Amino acid sequence: MNRIARFESLAEQWVEGTFARLFGGHIHPLEVANHVARAMEDACSQAADGTPLAPTHYRIDLHPQDLDALRARHPAPEEELARYVEDLARQAGMILPTAPCIVLNPLPDLPPHTVRVQAFQGPSEGDDEGATRQMNGEVPLPSEPSPGRCFLIIGGKRHVSLTAPTINIGRALDNDVIIEHPRVSRHHAQLRRRYGRYVLYDLGSSGGTLVNGYPVQECVLRSGDVISLADFEIIYGEEPVSPPGEPPEETSSTEGIPVQPQEPR
């Protein structure tokens, strides 16, 4: 069982208990639990002695109506969520350097009954206030060099530079990369930067996600991989790292701008 599957298995243990009652009737508790578990796994780090450290700060984005309904039932949901994080970290064998900090953030652009979670290590004693540590998911594995600039070629026409640690892809307007294609799901796939590389996840899409013709649920990407969202193709690429002192090659991109390609003819 891989680490994500193990975290999700631990998360399921909370669904029938207090955590389920916390979100019951508005947001599926397992969805929230899995998002928190994945965020913890992605943002974990290591102490100098190799001890795994769980992230201490969690921002949970909810639609305002869902957040209002949650607070109407539970005046202090942050406390219950903090206990959940502590229990999950303990069962996963991680250390929490400080008590977890939970922030529930109303996000009007988020579709109702959905949730997004971001986790990170908060400032420790001696750090500047407001500073955060770099997520462990952005540190390359020692055995594999970090790639150069990463990008997508959308529909054989448009280039999108990848710089964010998480990129959501789909037909809905709240995605980072918007694909206007009838067979692409509203929230079809997600790219996450883990250990310096991008990993592709299928988000339960109706049309499926393939890499080089093989169906995948989770896949570490390599330069030249062809991603198929249903029957819409995207090419993943990585520029080679420039030698020291040599300026990187200039390329066109639409970095930071959601892309709306036309359906292939």
Side-chain angles (χ1 to χ4, degrees), residues 1-18:
M1 181 183 296
N2 61 33
R3 290 192 66 185
I4 287 181
R6 180 165 60 90
F7 267 63
E8 291 180 348
S9 177
L10 293 173
E12 289 176 2
Q13 299 176 21
W14 272 76
V15 173
E16 299 301 329
T18 305

Side-chain angles (χ1 to χ4, degrees), residues 61-139:
D61 295 331
L62 301 167
H63 190 275
Q65 292 180 352
D66 291 325
L67 182 54
D68 290 343
L70 172 63
R71 292 198 183 280
R73 292 166 57 92
H74 300 273
E78 292 88 350
E79 295 180 6
E80 186 65 38
L81 289 167
R83 284 194 290 270
Y84 166 65
V85 168
E86 290 175 344
D87 190 58
L88 184 62
R90 181 172 59 254
Q91 294 187 63
M94 292 184 176
I95 300 298
L96 274 167
T98 62
C101 176
I102 309 295
V103 175
L104 296 175
N105 178 48
L107 194 62
D109 294 337
L110 196 66
H113 313 306
T114 58
V115 61
R116 288 182 180 173
V117 180
Q118 291 181 310
F120 57 92
Q121 287 289 359
S124 60
E125 294 184 5
D127 291 342
D128 292 335
E129 184 176 358
T132 59
R133 300 176 184 174
Q134 186 181 32
M135 289 187 180
N136 189 52
E138 299 182 21
V139 179

